[in-house]
Amino acid sequence: MVENLVDTPLIYAALFNLLVWFAIGFVVVRVWQAPIYHPFVVYLLYHFVGFIVRPFLIYIDGKSFIWLRVGITPTAEDIIRVTAIANVALIAAFLGFTFAKRTKNLIPAFSPVRFVVLRPFAFYAAVLVLGVAGLYGTYRAYGEAGLQSVNAFQVTRDAEGGQRLVGISGYTLALAEFLPIICIVLYLCKGSIRTLSILFIAAFVALRAYIGAQRLSFVVVLVSVFFVSLIEARRRYPGALIVAGVLFAALLFDIVGHDRYVVRRVVLGDADISSIWTSYVADRGSKSSMDVVEFDSATVAAMVVDERAGYSYGTQYLRLLYWPIPRQLWPDKPVFTSIVNLNEYGNFTSMTTTLYVDVYMVYGFISLIPMMFVLGVVQSRLYDTAVRTTSPLVFAFFWIFLIYFKTILRDGGVTVVYFWAFSMIAAAILIIVGGVRLQREPMLVRTRQDHRAAGALPRTRKAAG
């Protein structure tokens, strides 16, 4: 077990987190019938794995590899602190979500949507140009890497622990972010374009698995396919078969995370499926949420903020102003802008600290509560707008927010701007050049009595008027 000082608090923390999560989840999912593709339900799933399942696993495993890596072992007081932060954040976001909710009853589900391309030739030309740009960025980022490295580019680390690119522009690497959004926009179309998208998606997932880097990219594509399929089936939640498929995809994600070279080694004949599975089971053991270690990282980061470093006063967000400036114009552009550098107190290099601690770092609970409240408002208003909009650009804006929402929760607001911005650039080009229009099927009226446990929407009662 973990040190005796934190054994019992871990169990109490997990149970308390579960109690608060269940109360809020009951209202959102059971009473208001929010579909699984609502951002707040995605938030609840993230919180469940990161702050309920994870402390149980730390207790069972007897250690946290994050705490060992950072070099800090929390006390019972630190466990209580992060439990308070996580639950205050969840409650504040729920209150913001409730405040912004348009209706007092059920949350509307999406009617099936479709992107209609009015200028096919121009659309396919834009797909080709953006696809080539994305492949070029991918090649520059990963194409020349062997079995000794995932990345083909080089980085240097400054005195603060920040990593700077060497010999290549970050804008070149960012072109790789065009590929997932191309897959998604193509899949939102139907007919021959959707058939093309399936081939494009299969090739893209295979490419990313072979490279062993940027797993997030193929995850957001598969999540998009999952959500679109539910919407077109008029279901709020998946059935058992779909759940099994999702679990299989999660297993694939974890296997690639365990050994970034796994697909490469199979293709080159250096490994077979049996040896890979044996190695995976031996190394992973019971650490089933090894890639979702939110509780671990949030605990030690909050500990440093309160006991050693102090508050950042929002200086970490100044990076949004510096980031767009090319390093060719500003060679000494800082990687960090925050006055709090966690690397001074432990090995936090390349480690996410969660949105909870990111906003808590600004000024404690005084910043945590309003910022999470605003996030709840944004989730609600964006979803309500997307349900009703006839603009493909507005819908794309919401969809990118939805599929990258876990990144907001895990990495904070600064990192997700990168993914959102380059995805939105590609989506806007495809929509404008292709003359894309948003087409909706008729909405269906649905009462509380019509709801079925399976989450399916009735097909027979059409909207009046």
Side-chain angles (χ1 to χ4, degrees):
M1 295 296 169
V2 190
E3 289 189 13
N4 291 334
L5 287 174
V6 296
D7 264 354
T8 302
L10 277 171
I11 296 300
Y12 285 149
L15 292 174
F16 184 77
N17 291 346
L18 178 62
L19 180 65
V20 175
W21 177 88
F22 182 81
I24 292 176
F26 181 84
V27 174
V28 174
V29 175
R30 183 66 179 174
V31 178
W32 291 340
Q33 303 298 338
I36 195 172
Y37 45 82
H38 193 293
F40 202 89
V41 178
V42 175
Y43 178 16
L44 289 172
L45 293 172
Y46 163 87
H47 187 91
F48 178 79
V49 175
F51 290 89
I52 297 173
V53 174
R54 185 57 195 167
F56 273 124
L57 288 176
I58 298 174
Y59 178 84
I60 293 170
D61 295 338
K63 63 182 181 299
S64 163
F65 72 95
I66 287 291
W67 296 346
L68 294 172
R69 172 193 164 186
V70 172
I72 299 176
T73 300
T75 65
E77 179 183 349
D78 301 317
I79 301 298
I80 294 172
R81 176 193 292 115
V82 77
T83 300
I85 290 172
N87 285 290
V88 168
L90 177 59
I91 293 170
F94 172 70
L95 292 176
F97 169 70
T98 304
F99 172 79
K101 188 170 173 288
R102 287 181 179 271
T103 60
K104 301 302 180 183
N105 46 25
L106 302 184
I107 294 173
F110 273 101
S111 61
V113 297
R114 175 188 180 186
F115 279 1
V116 178
V117 179
L118 300 183
R119 294 192 287 269
F121 180 81
F123 179 79
Y124 285 126
V127 168
L128 177 62
V129 172
L130 292 174
V132 169
L135 289 173
Y136 174 72
T138 300
Y139 175 76
R140 293 298 308 274
Y142 313 109
E144 296 180 353
L147 287 179
Q148 288 73 41
S149 173
V150 171
N151 299 322
F153 56 85
Q154 295 181 340
V155 296
T156 184
R157 188 170 296 166
D158 59 24
E160 294 183 327
Q163 296 181 346
R164 302 169 185 262
L165 292 172
V166 176
I168 191 171
S169 168
Y171 282 100
T172 300
L173 303 185
L175 295 175
E177 302 309 323
F178 288 172
L179 296 179
I181 199 64
I182 291 174
C183 295
I184 292 167
V185 171
L186 290 175
Y187 195 80
L188 285 169
C189 302
K190 290 185 178 180
S192 59
I193 297 181
R194 174 163 292 185
T195 302
L196 174 65
S197 77
I198 294 173
L199 298 175
F200 206 104
I201 289 170
F204 175 71
V205 171
L207 174 65
R208 285 301 200 197
Y210 180 82
I211 290 170
Q214 291 290 314
R215 292 174 300 157
L216 174 65
S217 296
F218 74 71
V219 168
V220 297
V221 170
L222 296 178
V223 166
S224 290
V225 172
F226 170 58
F227 286 162
V228 171
S229 300
L230 286 178
I231 291 171
E232 292 182 346
R234 299 185 182 272
R235 297 183 68 91
R236 291 174 179 257
Y237 286 87
L241 186 61
I242 296 179
V243 170
V246 170
L247 293 176
F248 177 78
L251 177 63
L252 175 64
F253 174 84
D254 202 45
I255 290 173
V256 174
H258 160 254
D259 180 358
R260 296 305 181 100
Y261 314 112
V262 60
V263 176
R264 226 180 298 178
R265 291 197 297 115
V266 170
V267 172
L268 296 175
D270 293 336
D272 55 32
I273 302 299
S274 176
S275 63
I276 289 169
W277 179 252
T278 301
S279 173
Y280 170 76
V281 172
D283 289 348
R284 283 308 207 205
S286 62
K287 303 176 185 65
S288 57
S289 66
M290 201 165 180
D291 281 312
V292 189
V293 289
E294 318 305 275
F295 188 89
D296 315 48
S297 58
T299 300
V300 288
M303 176 182 174
V304 168
V305 170
D306 273 349
E307 299 176 6
R308 307 181 188 184
Y311 299 128
S312 69
Y313 305 108
T315 51
Q316 66 266 41
Y317 303 122
L318 292 175
R319 190 180 179 193
L320 291 173
L321 302 178
Y322 295 170
W323 211 348
I325 303 174
R327 197 167 291 280
Q328 290 85 344
L329 301 179
W330 188 0
D332 296 326
K333 181 176 69 171
V335 177
F336 288 127
T337 58
S338 176
I339 61 175
V340 174
N341 181 10
L342 297 177
N343 287 308
E344 295 178 359
Y345 308 95
N347 183 16
F348 285 89
T349 303
S350 302
M351 193 180 88
T352 59
T353 58
T354 75
L355 178 66
Y356 292 165
V357 175
D358 193 53
V359 297
Y360 179 82
M361 188 185 300
V362 175
Y363 201 66
F365 287 102
I366 294 176
S367 57
L368 177 71
I369 294 172
M371 293 176 78
M372 293 303 298
F373 182 90
V374 169
L375 180 64
V377 171
V378 169
Q379 292 178 68
S380 182
R381 291 289 166 84
L382 276 180
Y383 181 85
D384 288 342
T385 300
V387 166
R388 296 169 173 81
T389 187
T390 57
S391 167
L393 284 172
V394 172
F395 187 84
F397 184 100
F398 163 78
W399 200 261
I400 294 169
F401 173 86
L402 174 66
I403 60 178
Y404 282 108
F405 188 53
K406 177 185 175 295
T407 306
I408 299 176
L409 298 169
R410 184 181 184 185
D411 298 349
V414 174
T415 301
V416 80
V417 169
Y418 167 85
F419 294 108
W420 173 84
F422 283 96
S423 297
M424 198 63 206
I425 288 171
I429 291 173
L430 292 174
I431 289 170
I432 294 171
V433 171
V436 174
R437 296 292 180 266
L438 182 67
Q439 185 180 86
R440 292 183 180 273
E441 294 184 16
M443 291 289 291
L444 301 178
V445 173
R446 176 174 176 274
T447 66
R448 192 179 298 268
Q449 290 75 23
D450 290 329
H451 178 71
R452 300 172 183 174
L457 295 179
R459 299 174 178 271
T460 56
R461 189 173 300 177
K462 295 195 174 181

